[in-house]
Amino acid sequence: MIQKELKKIIKHETGIDLDDEDILKSQRREYVECRGMYCVLLREMTNLTLISIGKSLNKDHTTVLYSLENFKYWTVADPHLEKTYIQIKIVFKKYLQLKGSPNLDELIDNYLKLKREYKKLYDFYHKSRAKNKPEIKNFVKFL
């Protein structure tokens, strides 16, 4: 899951574990900033909703909104936070790129599945059409 991977990246870069309940409840500045960074990255780089981002932190969607609106001001006030944010963003972006590119085996498997489904639909269509031809002719005469 994308959220878990981002939490791992943030923990590796900052040492702050966003799965720790005490940290999630704390209002200490560095914890709030890490949660804000997490929200901003997920919102910018994924298509997750505010509600799903909030649920991954056991927070409300309004908390996520607050983070999104204020994170830019926090980075202006704290250059170290901005540097950390950029580092985490680069690592997370690489993760998303690697995750998003399917390997050749997956593509071949998907192609073969689609081909089998197409064959089933094709056969079903022609069997149904052959069965219902007299009804179709009668229907056309009725019109």
Side-chain angles (χ1 to χ4, degrees):
M1 196 185 257
I2 292 173
Q3 295 99 318
K4 287 191 181 282
E5 191 61 34
L6 180 56
K7 286 179 181 181
K8 285 180 191 175
I9 294 168
I10 289 174
K11 183 177 181 180
H12 181 266
E13 294 291 327
T14 64
I16 296 173
D17 183 8
L18 292 178
D19 285 324
D20 184 349
E21 278 299 317
D22 293 332
I23 289 175
L24 290 176
K25 291 178 183 179
S26 176
Q27 292 182 3
R28 285 183 56 186
R29 180 178 175 175
E30 58 267 18
Y31 299 156
V32 172
E33 290 172 344
C34 272
R35 288 193 303 263
M37 186 182 326
Y38 174 84
C39 294
V40 168
L41 287 169
L42 284 177
R43 190 63 176 170
E44 284 180 355
M45 302 179 80
T46 69
N47 59 355
L48 294 174
T49 64
L50 298 177
I51 293 171
S52 62
I53 294 170
K55 280 184 181 178
S56 68
L57 289 171
N58 296 329
K59 298 288 182 188
D60 193 83
H61 71 281
T62 56
T63 305
V64 176
L65 259 178
Y66 174 82
S67 295
L68 295 175
E69 291 171 0
N70 290 294
F71 188 76
K72 57 187 166 229
Y73 303 116
W74 300 340
T75 56
V76 169
D78 184 359
H80 178 69
L81 175 65
E82 184 176 23
K83 182 180 173 189
T84 305
Y85 167 72
I86 292 169
Q87 289 171 336
I88 291 172
K89 186 174 183 176
I90 290 168
V91 174
F92 189 53
K93 190 173 190 176
K94 286 180 185 175
Y95 165 77
L96 291 175
Q97 288 170 345
L98 290 175
K99 181 188 173 291
S101 58
N103 63 27
L104 186 58
D105 292 335
E106 285 180 37
L107 290 174
I108 291 170
D109 287 344
N110 287 338
Y111 169 74
L112 293 174
K113 285 178 189 176
L114 287 172
K115 192 174 178 181
R116 284 191 297 269
E117 287 179 32
Y118 172 78
K119 176 81 171 114
K120 286 179 187 176
L121 288 171
Y122 181 84
D123 292 343
F124 177 77
Y125 170 75
H126 285 289
K127 284 178 187 175
S128 299
R129 191 169 176 212
K131 254 188 202 177
N132 295 327
K133 268 190 180 176
E135 292 176 17
I136 292 173
K137 286 180 184 175
N138 291 335
F139 182 74
V140 172
K141 287 178 187 175
F142 176 75
L143 292 174

